[in-house]
Each structure stands twice: as structure tokens, then as C-alpha cells.
């Protein structure tokens, strides 16, 4: 795998060198500190070194700007971050958010090939639900959208946008890495939340030896996806967006079966992809002051088939509805958003399943959220840019609260510094997907140097 | 700064540990039914289960095994479980069952025997075979269901009919055979010992069951006799033996075996029971294969039964073992010439002979049942028949027509018919053996002692016991012709010798007496009504002697001892029979009070005693005790069991003589009546006595003038009559002067008067001193 990564990075570097794109590569170093006194792992501080490779995009859209037209017509786009965790390689990651090649048919139409980010649904993109696009969930408290990998046909006019997507490939969510040794999940990666470590049998609690039946890579990767999106409206005024997609779910279904091996219990976990249809509708109004959008996202999973002796997840269709409001008051931007999900439950069915016990399979880490945010961004002394963003996400139903406070100073050549604080709190008596991460309050401090 | 402020303000965010992840669960809804299995088994064993419940129970077991197949894996091989792994599973998850490591090994051994495969592990494929086998068990459980309550061998009083019991074990036999066919047991070397070990290691049997288990174990060895059960046919045969043994045992448990012979049905059941035991032994694997049931396999069964203390008689082991060998060797074997030390075990002749005797008994009891068709009634309602009527019916009875003879060949038939005829001949005698309330009747008026079924059955028992004695110790043997059979001195001494331990341990014999055989023989020839006064015991003498001994020594002696106890005559000290000594004065009062009850079988004796006043009674008692008492030093102080038995026996002997010789029934023996008793009955005794005590006088008599018309025999005979009349030998003055003249002949001795029951006791004193 490491060899594959090295080869991939090398190829990308070569492609970027021959493309017309302006690719910037930054070397970066981060420290991650877990702040909670209740974080009990022996190592609280981690150091990462890595690189961020990205295509430089113009600050303003350039359809009419001759100067930047060349830039937008760049054929190669990339947004890739890779980091090596010093002394704890399981924390290392590669995050290919985008890697795609664009071929422009004419001024309005283009074909894109590769992994490309797209706003299929305002809800999905904003809240990182991962219905349309896979998520980089290396850190569940700070997920990032990743692009779907395939072929895009886009047509963008002043009145509407059309986006057609097809692919024979599928790449699911990218979660935290883990290690299994002798059936036991190792505790090297604090972001990885292992499944239950014990099992009850005949009134006795016994340790579990996990055995994960890794599916064939080809069975996972070679799956078709078809999507279409139509967006009506110009740069200002009312707009609407409707999209639909048929694809494997970005989350895997995990079936399990407990097998008593003499006096220990082995749990055989079988991951499987499953198909779903997703439909999104956004409608709103936008202007120079910001925008207001009302969105809905409906997804209908097709439950995967497992052996009847296994305990398999049963996915409910879900409907997410919520508004988003953005108000720009330069240099500030204010954000308010809300989402509520009906349906979307995952319950295990099978010989050992209990309706009151959480499924091994996870779909949405939360179902309801409200977010209040404010961001600030300005350039000082024409030498550096200061960006701060404060988000407070919470839910009364699920009783969690999350704060993210991100600050960065970009000296525009070549240094940049940042501090990113993430705090999470839950009421443990209410079920929420954030409960497992309760003690992962963290602060990132980093610096980068552009090559 | 902002961040620091935020951290300070949001201190609550930093606190709190995530809740522990929920544990997964392996559910056991499908296994929860296992909890009710033991309850269902209990219901099944009471035949209270429904077919549905049986289905549910077995489905539960099958489902459990299916779960086991799909959800459990072995550590060494995922598709198999070693004994060690099974043990760990049992120990961890089935703690309550307390399955030990050894039991786990034993279970695998059983698995291997039933469905094959290694005895070291069970594979998942074998579990499928096991489920198939359980399917067969289920079907058979349904077949057995109506009979299950009987198959637990409950004790009861004919709660289940014999037909029901028979059907139950027939079904058990069928079911076990079906299970055998569905298993590979017959191809395995699985033994009873293996099964016993399994039950032991599963704690299904414990030390308290040891005795019964050992009996079963030894019984099993008796059935198999060391033969290998190599084929399916052998196992089928074994199952047949096993179910038959259980059925017979169940008859006994349900009260179908009653040696007290309370009614005809009980007799039929008991005969059937004994026949079935014989059939069982003859059908055992051991006998079928070797024509012998080795003594080495019989002794251990009896040893275990003995050590379990379930014998009705308190016998030592040695006595038990020698007793059965003596019975089998002599009575059902080669008779007196049999060598007990050479006894090898049960052979064909033993079974044939037992069957013959059972059939003799059965046919005669059929006659009794036909004569008295009220034998099922309570004793007080049973009709009595005159002896004449019994004898008349006997003459019409044709034993050869009995259906019981069907299974015998010609020779056996003849022997059986002759045996029945011998019994009939006894009953057809002018004075047949008759009984009332278990007591042997001695009376002139025997013909008025009407008999009911129970009296006649008592007679049959005595006749049969005596017959068996003659068969075993007679010379010539009683087979085929009972009329020629007799027990000689050698035979009776042998009998006593071989039964001495038995008699002592059952408190029948006095341990102080070395061998009472000869006395018995003499008593039989002197005092029984049927005596022919030879030196042997024929059938009639044996019957009467046995009847007197049992009536006097057992029935009446026990009644008297109980009477003394009731009258508070008992002393604290115990005699050699483990009975309390009795205060003699007290005992005498009790005898005076209740002699009518004790000696009701001797009405003329009772009549005589009735006429005695108190002092005469005392005098009579003291006289008879002079003869009966075992040790003179106890005189006037206390009585022991031996004294009571002897007292009772002498009463019987006295009355027996009066019954025979008191021709005019006046309660007195006249000169002529005494004279008539002399020959042949007392001649030998008198001669012997005279030769011992009066040799000189006899010699003088021979040479004295005037007695020429009388021989020595005359002298002894007349002296005997004189002795009986006067309780002393005649003196010179008692002789008539010149009894032999050419003109007339006078009596040799002056003989006048008569002797009553009291007077004759002195003669018994003399008899005792001569005969011992």
C-alpha cells in the first residue's frame, strides 16, 4: 500500500508538472494535542509532517475575465494532502479531495475525468453527510468532502448548469486507519473508534476476537454510478438545484456473526457495499450580501443481502431538510444553518440483533444539527492574510455541542501558520454518534511552507 | 489569546469520558427452551407429555445442536471439537450441569458408539448424524410415551395391569431395537461398563446408587457371560434379555409376586413369574451361546444383591451361595448323588426340572382353583368343602388335560402327570394332610375339618416342599415315581448338614444341635400318623413330619412367644434364637389362658386340657417340660424358644399317637391300643431299649421255667405295654406266675388300665433318652 501511495504521488507530481495548471505544493508540519483530562491514552501529542498539493484557483470566477480564463481552463486540478504521523504511522493519511483532468469542449461545456468535488446538494456538502460525495473521515470531528471519481459532463450557461456524471468506479468514505492484532483492535489511532470489544453470551461477558472478511478490492471499486444535476439560476437572484444519483453508498454495511471458539468468541465481520438512490433539491436566493437556501435530501438505500446466520444492518430511507443562511458583512461572514433528518435509522436484524443496541454499521453521525458561525478574513499590510472561523454546532435532540475555531495566517509566500481548535461535548444519557468522540477535544497547530 | 479564553470558558467541553461501547450479544432465544427440557423429561416419565411437547423438546435439542454447528467452532479444528474443548465449553457455559473432563471423554465415547467416528472428537458433520439419530429417538419417545410411567419401574400394588406392563416392555424392546438399527452401537465395543462410567461421571449416579448399579452390572455380566456382542443380532438378543429382566422386575415391583399365595390369582401370577425367570435365564446371551450360566456369573449377582441387603432373609453370604447351589444341585440337579463342589452353574437340566416342578404345582393349583372358584374372595368368605368332596373331585380330575402341559415333550409330560398324581394320592389318603389357619390338623375327626382354598393351598405347599426334599435328598429319588421315594438316614443327615447354616441363620435350627437329621427321621417314623415304622421317610411321613415341625416349631411357637410378650412375660435377656427368655410362671399362666387358641389344630388335646383343673394342668405342664426343657437349671425360672418349640412339638407327637391308636377315641390308650402300637412302630425302639436296660432280665427270662410259650419278642412287647401304662419296666412281681401251662395260657404280664395324654409323657421321657 505504501508503495502504491508513493507511485501515485510521483505520477501526480509528474502530471502536475506537464499541465497548464498552477499547482502549489506546500510542506507542512502539524502538532495535534488532545486537551481533555479524560483522554486517557498514553500519548496525547502527535506530530505530523507532510505536504499539501493543490491547484491554485482564482479568487474570482473568471468566465469573463480574460486574465484568469487560462487559469480556469487549466486541464489538471488537484487537492491532495498527505501527512505522516511521526512515531505512529497508523495516524498517517492521504486525502485526495480532488484529482481530475478537464477537457473543455467549448466555452460552456467540458468533460472532467477523475475525482472532482461538486455541490450536488447543499445539505450534503454543508453538513458532510456523505450521501452524494464520500467523506474524508480520518477525523470524524472534522470531516471533509471528497469528490466522486468518474466522468463528468458539465454545461454552464448564464441561466442554468447541467452536470452529468457516470463512472464504473467507486471509492467509499475514507475513515481512520486501524490495526487488528490477534483479533484485537489496537489503540494506536485515537480517531478510530473500535466496535464493541466484548460480547455477552449466556450471561457472561467475553472478549471478542474480530475477524474482518475484507471484500475483494475489485468488488468494491468496480461499481457503476450515475448522477445528474440541473441547476437553474444565475449568479444572483433566485436559484434552484435538483440532482439525483444512483450509486453505492459511501458507507459500508457491516454484518457480523458471533462464533464461539471454545471459550472465546470470534466475531466475523463482513463489510459489504450497498446501493442507494439519492435525490436533492435546493432552492434559494442569493445576492452580494449572501444567500438563503432551503434544501432537502432524500436517500433510499437498498439493503444488502447477507447470510441469514449473520446480523445484518437494515437501512431506512432518510429525508433531510434544512435551511442555510449566509450573510456577508465584510470582513465578516455570518452563517446560520439547521438540518433535521427523518428516517435514516440503521438497525441490525439477525439472530443476535437487539433493537435497542446500536448497529455496527454507521450512516450518519448525527441527524439533527443547528450551526451558528462567524468568519473573519482580511489582508493586513498586503503581506499576510488572517482568516478565522468560529462554528458552534449543536443539537437539542441529540444533546451534543461542537465548537470549531479555526485560525490561519498566510504570509503569501512562503509561510503560513494555523491553529485549529475542536471541542466536543455530549450529554451521555442521550444517544448520539458523537459520544465515542467525547474526549477527543483537540487543538491543531501547524505551519506550512510553499515550495 | 482567543483560543485560551475559549478553552477557559468551555471547560465543560473538555470533561467527560465517552460511555463504554455497548457489548454485543450472542442471543439464545432458540436455546432458552433447553431450560424446560428437564421438566419435559419429568412429564414424559409420568406419561403426561403430549406429542406436541415431545416434538418441541426434541426440536429444541436439535436446534441447539444446529446452533452449535453454526455458531461454535473448535480451537484446533474449526469443524471439530476435541474432548478438551468440549469440556471447556461445558465448564464455561453449562456450569450447572457439572460435566467433568472425564464425563466429556465418556460422552465422546458414547457418540463414537452411536454414530461412529473418533472417540477423541466430534465433528460438525457428526453433529448432523447425531441430529438424525435424535430424530429416531423422538419417534421412539412418542411410541414409548404411553408406557413411560411404567418403564420407570414404580413400586405399587397392581397399579398397572400385567397386560399393560407386558405391552410397555414390548414397546421398549421395539424402540431399543429401532434405536440400535439407527446407531452403530453393534459395531462398537461399547460396554455396560462404559455406560456406567458415563453415568457416574455425569453424577447421574452416586455412591448411594452403588449397590444397585453393581447389581445391574453383575446382572449384565450374567446375561452376557463374557461373550462378545459382535453382531446386530447379538445386541437384539441382549435387548430382549434386558427388557425381559426389567419386565419381570416390574411384576415384582407391582405386587404380582406373592409367595404367601393369598388367592388363586396370586398363585398364577407367582408361577408365571417363576416361569418367566426360568425363561429369562434360558434365553440369556450366555446360555444361548454356551448352554451354561456359569456359577462365576451367578455368584457375583447374589453377592451384590446380598450386600445391598435386599434379601428378605438375613443370611450370610456363604450360606446364601451354598444354599442356592444345594437347591439347584440336589432338587433340580442330580439329587443326592450330586457333588455340590462340582456345581458349574445353571444347565439345561436345571431349567427343565424347575419347569417340571412349577408345572406340577401349577396343575394341582388349577385343580384347587376349579374346586374353589371363590379363591379370589377374602379368607372369611371362602367356602369350605368336606374332605370327601375334595377327594371325590380329585378322582375326577385329569391332570393330563391341563393346558400347562402343552409346551412339554412326552417324557416331561409323563413326569409331570406322575408328580400331580403323587400329590393327588396324598390328598386321597384316608387321613390326608389337612390344615386350618396355617396349622396341621391332628385329630380323629379329621374328616370334619372342611377345607377352603387357602387350607388346601397350604397343604399343596407342604406337599410340594416335601416332594422337593424327596427329589433332592431321597434315595431312590422321587423322579419318576414318588411312591417309591424315601429319605434314608444318610439323606436326612445330609439335608440337615447342608441346611444347617441356613436353618441356624433363619432361626429354624438350634445352633446347639449338631445334626437333627436322625432325630427327625425317628420322629417321623414314630409319631406321624402316616408312619410305616421303617428307617426311612416316605412321602407321607415327610409331609406330616414337615407339617408338624413347621406347625409346632414355627407357627405355634411364634404365636406363643407373641402371647408371652403380650402378657409381659418377657425377660430382658435373649436366647440363642435372639428371642427374649420368658418368665416361666407367667408363661404357664398364658398357656393356661390361651391353649385353646394355640393348639386349635389338636381339638382332642384341647378337650383333654379343658378337663384338667389348675393343679392338674400344672402337673401336666411340669411333666411335659421334663421332656421338653433344654436345660434343667432353668426349671421354674424361665423358658427359652427351644423349650417352647419342644413343648409344642411333644404336644403334637402325643396327639399324633392318640389320633392313630386311640381307636375308641376315649382319650385313653388301653392295653390293646398300646399293644397295637407296638408293631411295627415301637418294636425297634422297645427292643433296643430292652437290650440296653434289661439284658440280664431277658437272659433270665429265657432260662426261667414256665415262660416257654412266650418268646423274647413277647416279653419285649408286653414290657413295652407295661412301660407305657406304668412308666416303668415290669418287675418279677408284675409277671403272671406260670403263664404257660399245658392247660391254659395266661398273659405274660399283668396288664390293666389305660394311659391318658399325661400318663404317656413319661414314655416320651424314656423315648427321648433312647432316641436323643
Amino acid at each position: 500500500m505504501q508503495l502504491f501511495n508513493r507511485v501515485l504521488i510521483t505520477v501526480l507530481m509528474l502530471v502536475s508538472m506537464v499541465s497548464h495548471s498552477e499547482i502549489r505544493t506546500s510542506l507542512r508540519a502539524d502538532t495535534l494535542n488532545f486537551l481533555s483530562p479524560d483522554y486517557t491514552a498514553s500519548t496525547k501529542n502527535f506530530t505530523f509532517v507532510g505536504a499539501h498539493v493543490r491547484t491554485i484557483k482564482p479568487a474570482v470566477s473568471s468566465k469573463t475575465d480574460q486574465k484568469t480564463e487560462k487559469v480556469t481552463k487549466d486541464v489538471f486540478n488537484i487537492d491532495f494532502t498527505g501527512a505522516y504521523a511521526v512515531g505512529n504511522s497508523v495516524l498517517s493519511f492521504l486525502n485526495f479531495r480532488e484529482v481530475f483532468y478537464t477537457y473543455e469542449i467549448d466555452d460552456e461545456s467540458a468533460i472532467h475525468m477523475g475525482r472532482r468535488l461538486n455541490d450536488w446538494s447543499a445539505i450534503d456538502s454543508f453538513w458532510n453527510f456523505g450521501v452524494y460525495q464520500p467523506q474524508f473521515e480520518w477525523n470524524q470531528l472534522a470531516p471533509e468532502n471528497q469528490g466522486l471519481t468518474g466522468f463528468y459532463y458539465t454545461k454552464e450557461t448564464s441561466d442554468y448548469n447541467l452536470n452529468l456524471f457516470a463512472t464504473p468506479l467507486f471509492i467509499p468514505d475514507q475513515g481512520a486507519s486501524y490495526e487488528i492484532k490477534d483479533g484485537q483492535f489496537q489503540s494506536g489511532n485515537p480517531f478510530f473508534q473500535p466496535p464493541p470489544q466484548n460480547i455477552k453470551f449466556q450471561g457472561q461477558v467475553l472478549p471478542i476476537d474480530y475477524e474482518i472478511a475484507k471484500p475483494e478490492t475489485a468488488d468494491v471499486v468496480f461499481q457503476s454510478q450515475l448522477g445528474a444535476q440541473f441547476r437553474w439560476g444565475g449568479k444572483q437572484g433566485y436559484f434552484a438545484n435538483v440532482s439525483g444519483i444512483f450509486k453505492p453508498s459511501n458507507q459500508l454495511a457491516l454484518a457480523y456473526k458471533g462464533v464461539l471458539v471454545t471459550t472465546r468468541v470470534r466475531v466475523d465481520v463482513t463489510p459489504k457495499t450497498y446501493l442507494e438512490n439519492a435525490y436533492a433539491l435546493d432552492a434559494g436566493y442569493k445576492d452580494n450580501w449572501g444567500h438563503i437556501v432551503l434544501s432537502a435530501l432524500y436517500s433510499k438505500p437498498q439493503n444488502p443481502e447477507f447470510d441469514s446466520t449473520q446480523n445484518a444492518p437494515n437501512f431506512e430511507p432518510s429525508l433531510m431538510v434544512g435551511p442555510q443562511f449566509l450573510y456577508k458583512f465584510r470582513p465578516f461572514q455570518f452563517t446560520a444553518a439547521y438540518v433535521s433528518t427523518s428516517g435514516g435509522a440503521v438497525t441490525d436484524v439477525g439472530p443476535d440483533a437487539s433493537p435497542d443496541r446500536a448497529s455496527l454499521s454507521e450512516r450518519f453521525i448525527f441527524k439533527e444539527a443547528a450551526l451558528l458561525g462567524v468568519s473573519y478574513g482580511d489582508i493586513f499590510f498586503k503581506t499576510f492574510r488572517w482568516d478565522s472561523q468560529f462554528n458552534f454546532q449543536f443539537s437539542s435532540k441529540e444533546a451534543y455541542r461542537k465548537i470549531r475555531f479555526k485560525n490561519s495566517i498566510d504570509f503569501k509566500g512562503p509561510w503560513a501558520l494555523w491553529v485549529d481548535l475542536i471541542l466536543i461535548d455530549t450529554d451521555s444519557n442521550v444517544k448520539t454518534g458523537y459520544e465515542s468522540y467525547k474526549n477527543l477535544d483537540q487543538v491543531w497547530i501547524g505551519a506550512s511552507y510553499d515550495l | 489569546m482567543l483560543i485560551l479564553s475559549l478553552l477557559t470558558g468551555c471547560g465543560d467541553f473538555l470533561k467527560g469520558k465517552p460511555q463504554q461501547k455497548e457489548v454485543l450479544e450472542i442471543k439464545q432465544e432458540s436455546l432458552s427452551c433447553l431450560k424446560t427440557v428437564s421438566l419435559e423429561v419429568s412429564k414424559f416419565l409420568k406419561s403426561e407429555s403430549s406429542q406436541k411437547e415431545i416434538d418441541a423438546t426434541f426440536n429444541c435439542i436439535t436446534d441447539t445442536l444446529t446452533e452449535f454447528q453454526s455458531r461454535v467452532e473448535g480451537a484446533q479444528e474449526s469443524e471439530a471439537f476435541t474432548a478438551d474443548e468440549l469440556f471447556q465449553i461445558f465448564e464455561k457455559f453449562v456450569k450447572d450441569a457439572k460435566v467433568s473432563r472425564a464425563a466429556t471423554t465418556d460422552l465422546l465415547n458414547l457418540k463414537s458408539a452411536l454414530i461412529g467416528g473418533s472417540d477423541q472428537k466430534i465433528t460438525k458433520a457428526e453433529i448432523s448424524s447425531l441430529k438424525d439419530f435424535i430424530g429416531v429417538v423422538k419417534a421412539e419417545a412418542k411410541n414409548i410415551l404411553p408406557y413411560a410411567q411404567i418403564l420407570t419401574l414404580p413400586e405399587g400394588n397392581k397399579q398397572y395391569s400385567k397386560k399393560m406392563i407386558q405391552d410397555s416392555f414390548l414397546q421398549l424392546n421395539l424402540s431399543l431395537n429401532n434405536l440400535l438399527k439407527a446407531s452403530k452401537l453393534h459395531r462398537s465395543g461399547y460396554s455396560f461398563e462404559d455406560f456406567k462410567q458415563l453415568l457416574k461421571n455425569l453424577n447421574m449416579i452416586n455412591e448411594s446408587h452403588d449397590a444397585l448399579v453393581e447389581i445391574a452390572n453383575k446382572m449384565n455380566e450374567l446375561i452376557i457371560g463374557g461373550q462378545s456382542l459382535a453382531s446386530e443380532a447379538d445386541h437384539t438378543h441382549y435387548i430382549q434379555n434386558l427388557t425381559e429382566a426389567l419386565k419381570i422386575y416390574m411384576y415384582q415391583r407391582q405386587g404380582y409376586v406373592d409367595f404367601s399365595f393369598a388367592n388363586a390369582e396370586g398363585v398364577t401370577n407367582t408361577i408365571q413369574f417363576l416361569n418367566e425367570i426360568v425363561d429369562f435365564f434360558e434365553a440369556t446371551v450366555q446360555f444361548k451361546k454356551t448352554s451354561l450360566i456359569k456359577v462365576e456369573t451367578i455368584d457375583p449377582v447374589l453377592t451384590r444383591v446380598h450386600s445391598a441387603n435386599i434379601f428378605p432373609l438375613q443370611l450370610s453370604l456363604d450360606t446364601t451361595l451354598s444354599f442356592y447351589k444345594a437347591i439347584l444341585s440336589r432338587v433340580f440337579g442330580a439329587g443326592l448323588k450330586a457333588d455340590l463342589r462340582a456345581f458349574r452353574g445353571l444347565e439345561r437340566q436345571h431349567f427343565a426340572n424347575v419347569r417340571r416342578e412349577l408345572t406340577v404345582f401349577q396343575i394341582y393349583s388349577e385343580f384347587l382353583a376349579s374346586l374353589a372358584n371363590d379363591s379370589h374372595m377374602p379368607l372369611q368368605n371362602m367356602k369350605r368343602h368336606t374332605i370327601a368332596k375334595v377327594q371325590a373331585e380329585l378322582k375326577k380330575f385329569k391332570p393330563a388335560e391341563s393346558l400347562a402341559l402343552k409346551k412339554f415333550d412326552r417324557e416331561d409330560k409323563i413326569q409331570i402327570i406322575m408328580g400331580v398324581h403323587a400329590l393327588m394320592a396324598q390328598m386321597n389318603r384316608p387321613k390326608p394332610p389337612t390344615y386350618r389357619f396355617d396349622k396341621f390338623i391332628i385329630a380323629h375327626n379329621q374328616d370334619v375339618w372342611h377345607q377352603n382354598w387357602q387350607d388346601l393351598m397350604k397343604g399343596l405347599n407342604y406337599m410340594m416342599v416335601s416332594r422337593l426334599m424327596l427329589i433332592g435328598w431321597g434315595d431312590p429319588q422321587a423322579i419318576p415315581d414318588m411312591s417309591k421315594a424315601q429319605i434314608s438316614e444318610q439323606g436326612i443327615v445330609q439335608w440337615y448338614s447342608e441346611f444347617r447354616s441356613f436353618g441356624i441363620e433363619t432361626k429354624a435350627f438350634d445352633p446347639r444341635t449338631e445334626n437333627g437329621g436322625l432325630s427327625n427321621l425317628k420322629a417321623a417314623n414314630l409319631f406321624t400318623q402316616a408312619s410305616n415304622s421303617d428307617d426311612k421317610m416316605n412321602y407321607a411321613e415327610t409331609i406330616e413330619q414337615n407339617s408338624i415341625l413347621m406347625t409346632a416349631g414355627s407357627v405355634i411357637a411364634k404365636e406363643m412367644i407373641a402371647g408371652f410378650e403380650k402378657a409381659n412375660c418377657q425377660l430382658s435377656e435373649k436366647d440363642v434364637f435372639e428371642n427374649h427368655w420368658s418368665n416361666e410362671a407367667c408363661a404357664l399362666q398364658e398357656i393356661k389362658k390361651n391353649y385353646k387358641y394355640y393348639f386349635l389344630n389338636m381339638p382332642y388335646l384341647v378337650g383333654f386340657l379343658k378337663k384338667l383343673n389348675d393343679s392338674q394342668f400344672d402337673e401336666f405342664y411340669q411333666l411335659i417340660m421334663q421332656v421338653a426343657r433344654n436345660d434343667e437349671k432353668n426349671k421354674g425360672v424361665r423358658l427359652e424358644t427351644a423349650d417352647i418349640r419342644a413343648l409344642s412339638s411333644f404336644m403334637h407327637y402325643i396327639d399324633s399317637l392318640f389320633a392313630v391308636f386311640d381307636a375308641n377315641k376315649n382319650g385313653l390308650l388301653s392295653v390293646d391300643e398300646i399293644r397295637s402300637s407296638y408293631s411295627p412302630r415301637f418294636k425297634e425302639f422297645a427292643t433296643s431299649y430292652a437290650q440296653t436296660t434289661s439284658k440280664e432280665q431277658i437272659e433270665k427270662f429265657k432260662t426261667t421255667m414256665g415262660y416257654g410259650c412266650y418268646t423274647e419278642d413277647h416279653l419285649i412287647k408286653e414290657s413295652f405295654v407295661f412301660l407305657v401304662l406304668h412308666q416303668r419296666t415290669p418287675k418279677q412281681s408284675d409277671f403272671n406266675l406260670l403263664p404257660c401251662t399245658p392247660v391254659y395260657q395266661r398273659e405274660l404280664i399283668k396288664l390293666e388300665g389305660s394311659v391318658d395324654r399325661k400318663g404317656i409323657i413319661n414314655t416320651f421321657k424314656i423315648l427321648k433318652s433312647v432316641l436323643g
Side-chain angles (χ1 to χ4, degrees), chain A residues 35-38 40 194 196 198-202 204 206 256-263 265-266 351-354 356-358 401 403 405 407 419 421 423-425 428 435-436 438-439 441, chain B residues 2-3 6-7 10 12-29 31 67-68 70-76 78 81 84-86 88-89 91-95 124:
Chain A
L35 304 170
S36 170
D38 290 311
T40 51
N198 295 307
I199 194 161
K200 206 155 76 178
F201 179 66
Q202 285 219 331
Q204 299 188 54
L206 305 166
Y256 70 94
K257 174 184 173 183
V259 177
L260 195 67
V261 183
T262 314
T263 54
V265 175
R266 191 187 72 229
D352 301 321
S354 264
D356 57 343
R357 194 174 53 239
R401 294 157 293 284
I403 290 172
F405 187 30
N407 302 276
V419 176
L421 177 71
L423 302 175
I424 180 75
D425 189 27
S428 293
E435 177 63 25
S436 305
K438 187 172 182 174
N439 60 349
D441 307 290
Chain B
L2 262 171
I3 288 168
L6 199 63
L7 285 175
C10 300
D12 286 348
F13 274 75
L14 301 179
K15 292 176 187 165
K17 279 184 183 175
Q19 275 201 332
Q20 287 287 319
K21 285 255 183 187
E22 290 170 301
V23 293
L24 294 179
E25 187 177 5
I26 294 182
K27 288 196 172 175
Q28 307 162 70
E29 273 97 5
L31 310 185
E67 283 277 308
F68 199 78
S70 71
R71 308 198 58 167
V72 187
E73 288 182 1
Q76 289 181 28
S78 63
F81 304 92
D84 203 43
E85 288 166 355
L86 282 178
Q88 287 178 37
I89 290 168
E91 195 181 44
K92 187 96 180 170
F93 304 112
V94 203
K95 269 184 190 163
K124 289 192 173 178

Side-chain angles (χ1 to χ4, degrees), chain A residues 121-124 281-283 293-297 320-324 338-339:
Chain A
S121 158
I123 283 186
D124 198 43
L281 176 66
D282 303 325
V293 187
L294 184 61
S295 301
L297 170 60
M320 297 159 172
V321 180
Q324 290 170 24
Y338 176 77
V339 69

Side-chain angles (χ1 to χ4, degrees), chain A residues 196-438:
Chain A
Q197 295 295 288
N198 295 307
I199 194 161
K200 206 155 76 178
F201 179 66
Q202 285 219 331
Q204 299 188 54
V205 176
L206 305 166
I208 295 175
D209 296 331
Y210 277 99
E211 192 162 303
I212 296 176
K214 286 187 180 163
E216 290 296 320
T217 308
D219 292 344
V220 175
V221 170
F222 295 113
Q223 297 193 77
S224 301
Q225 305 179 68
L226 291 171
Q229 180 182 28
F230 181 78
R231 188 178 185 87
W232 172 81
K235 293 191 186 310
Q236 288 183 321
Y238 292 100
F239 67 90
N241 170 58
V242 59
S243 66
I245 195 163
F246 172 70
K247 59 184 272 296
S249 170
N250 294 316
Q251 295 80 42
L252 294 177
L254 302 175
Y256 70 94
K257 174 184 173 183
V259 177
L260 195 67
V261 183
T262 314
T263 54
R264 293 185 68 88
V265 175
R266 191 187 72 229
V267 171
D268 294 334
V269 179
T270 309
K272 221 174 196 180
T273 57
Y274 60 98
L275 298 172
E276 69 177 336
N277 294 67
Y279 308 98
L281 176 66
D282 303 325
Y285 181 83
K286 63 180 175 183
D287 207 336
N288 288 333
W289 52 263
H291 65 247
I292 183 164
V293 187
L294 184 61
S295 301
L297 170 60
Y298 175 75
S299 75
K300 188 181 180 190
Q302 295 176 14
N303 284 313
E305 284 183 6
F306 287 96
D307 180 345
S308 65
T309 62
Q310 293 185 307
N311 304 288
N314 188 17
F315 296 99
E316 259 187 12
S318 62
L319 175 65
M320 297 159 172
V321 180
Q324 290 170 24
F325 174 72
L326 174 70
Y327 181 71
K328 296 174 184 169
F329 184 70
R330 290 190 189 280
F332 294 97
Q333 284 190 12
F334 299 93
T335 308
Y338 176 77
V339 69
S340 176
T341 308
S342 56
V346 187
T347 46
D348 281 343
V349 286
D352 301 321
S354 264
D356 57 343
R357 194 174 53 239
S359 169
L360 276 193
S361 308
E362 232 174 36
R363 185 139 166 84
F364 307 122
I365 195 168
F366 63 89
K367 285 187 173 179
E368 190 211 46
L371 185 139
L372 296 172
V374 57
S375 64
Y376 169 84
D378 210 349
I379 296 171
F380 292 87
F381 312 114
K382 293 186 180 175
T383 54
F384 69 92
R385 180 180 174 81
W386 177 294
D387 283 296
S388 284
Q389 187 178 359
F390 178 87
N391 285 340
F392 177 53
Q393 182 185 329
F394 60 96
S395 164
S396 55
K397 275 187 198 164
E398 295 177 45
Y400 70 85
R401 294 157 293 284
K402 186 172 88 169
I403 290 172
R404 185 163 190 193
F405 187 30
K406 194 174 180 181
N407 302 276
S408 64
I409 300 172
D410 187 345
F411 290 98
K412 293 224 173 214
W415 292 97
L417 304 169
W418 63 85
V419 176
D420 191 359
L421 177 71
I422 303 170
L423 302 175
I424 180 75
D425 189 27
T426 62
D427 293 351
S428 293
N429 54 348
V430 181
K431 269 193 178 177
T432 168
Y434 281 122
E435 177 63 25
S436 305
Y437 305 94
K438 187 172 182 174

Side-chain angles (χ1 to χ4, degrees), chain B residues 409-423:
Chain B
D409 61 22
R410 189 172 171 278
E411 196 177 328
D412 285 340
K413 272 183 190 167
I414 291 169
Q415 287 191 9
I416 292 164
I417 293 166
M418 287 177 75
V420 179
H421 275 294
L423 297 175

